[in-house]
Amino acid sequence: MLKRVVKTGTVFFVILLVVFGITVLFLSKQAETETGTNPATVRFTVARGESLLTLGERLRAAGLVSGKWPFVLYVLKSGKHRSLQAGDYSLKGSETIPELVDRIASGKVIPPGVRITFPEGWTIDDIAGRLSANNLPGEDFKKIVNAPFPKWREHYAFLAGLPAGQSLEGYLFPDTYIFPEQATGELIVNELLKNFGEKITSDMLTQAKAKGLTLHQWVTLASIVEAEVRTKEERRQVADLFLRRLEIGQALQSDATLRFILKDKKFKYSVEETQTASPYNTYQNPGLPPGPIGNPGLEALQSVIDPMPNEYFYFLNNPETGVTVFAKTFEEHVRNKAQNGL
């Protein structure tokens, strides 16, 4: 009887070892190959003195790792549990656990400073307001971008063709930035311009030239497209529509340019408002306005050099749903306006 009990216990123990081994192998494989579910880059704080289990669970909840246990197992197997450093990190779920652990173990923390995001299409005034709200020199920034330093034309090649008297509207690339708490207006402007220069490639400039556009004209049209519609497909359609209007000398008649002039967010303008005297009024002046009406993002810029061919000449945005409605003829456009409360 005793022998049978011992034998049964031994078999059970062996089974446990096998199950444990298989589990460890599975978790190890998961740690090496699987990623988290959150594709975005997020700010994540590793607290001083927190346990591996707590850290693993928080990473899992944030979608940064595939599971708590694969994370814990990898850290222990790699011997990096003593190397993890507290601090704020920029992490994303598309990284594997080894990549994420290496970042935390090497102490690649987010540098101290003020983190600010400037959305696509924002104007100089919008950016300056957000800077001031974060205790950064918004008014100083505004003065500099409205009267750019001459030295920047030499330092940034893309500004060489900037028309005299033009501000830097359109060239302040929308993105997320981290500025020192004591950042000057000049430093902030330099960072935004540097980012624009890094995003604009020689191939993109060649494509713009093939469309008959200078860099300034390209950025100007992209800023209007950015302000008019929201989806990638619609931007490419509207870009093609505007390019064809420019080609035949038809006024763009962009409400976005009226919003820029009148500094409001209306969807519908009166006949009197469309007659507002301004070189930026594309109802009264054919062709492009003197410069951008905001700072376009990469998608809007690309839509102008890679438009979607179509036969439309008119469009509107439903004020309730934001849906864009296209028309081939003016008569169809008039009907669309009536049907959409415009």
Side-chain angles (χ1 to χ4, degrees), residues 226-239:
E226 180 77 72
E228 285 285 7
V229 286
R230 288 288 170 259
T231 71
K232 182 177 181 179
E233 180 177 346
E234 289 173 347
R235 284 178 177 140
R236 294 183 65 213
Q237 288 178 300
V238 169

Side-chain angles (χ1 to χ4, degrees), residues 24-190:
V24 169
L25 286 174
F26 173 76
L27 293 176
S28 297
K29 184 68 175 179
Q30 189 177 354
E32 294 285 347
T33 60
E34 294 189 14
T35 60
T37 57
N38 188 350
T41 299
V42 299
R43 189 185 187 98
F44 186 90
T45 301
V46 176
R48 189 177 301 279
E50 73 176 317
S51 69
L52 270 182
L53 288 175
T54 301
L55 177 56
E57 177 55 30
R58 289 202 302 115
L59 287 167
R60 184 208 60 77
L64 296 172
V65 297
S66 57
K68 172 176 66 175
W69 291 110
F71 169 79
V72 172
L73 179 63
Y74 174 80
V75 173
L76 292 174
K77 281 185 63 179
S78 64
K80 294 185 177 180
H81 53 287
R82 296 187 181 88
S83 304
L84 301 183
Q85 300 183 43
D88 292 334
Y89 293 86
S90 182
L91 304 176
K92 50 188 175 182
S94 59
E95 293 180 314
T96 63
I97 288 175
E99 290 172 333
L100 182 144
V101 171
D102 284 347
R103 188 182 298 277
I104 299 175
S106 61
K108 294 180 180 178
V109 297
I110 297 174
V114 182
R115 183 185 181 90
I116 302 183
T117 297
F118 304 125
E120 290 85 351
W122 269 28
T123 65
I124 289 171
D125 287 345
D126 294 327
I127 295 173
R130 178 155 290 185
L131 288 170
S132 296
N134 284 272
N135 297 315
L136 290 171
E139 289 304 311
D140 186 36
F141 164 87
K142 189 188 296 188
K143 290 178 183 176
I144 294 173
V145 295
N146 281 320
F149 298 140
K151 65 181 181 181
W152 281 336
R153 288 178 180 272
E154 299 178 6
H155 187 69
Y156 297 106
F158 57 83
L159 292 180
L162 185 71
Q166 280 290 310
S167 71
L168 295 177
E169 189 85 84
Y171 299 90
L172 307 167
F173 201 81
D175 209 337
T176 297
Y177 297 85
I178 298 176
F179 300 116
E181 293 180 0
Q182 303 303 318
T184 63
E186 181 175 353
L187 181 148
I188 293 169
V189 176
N190 266 310

Side-chain angles (χ1 to χ4, degrees), residues 300-313:
L301 287 162
Q302 289 174 328
S303 72
V304 174
I305 57 177
D306 183 28
M308 181 182 294
N310 60 82
E311 298 179 350
Y312 301 121
F313 268 93

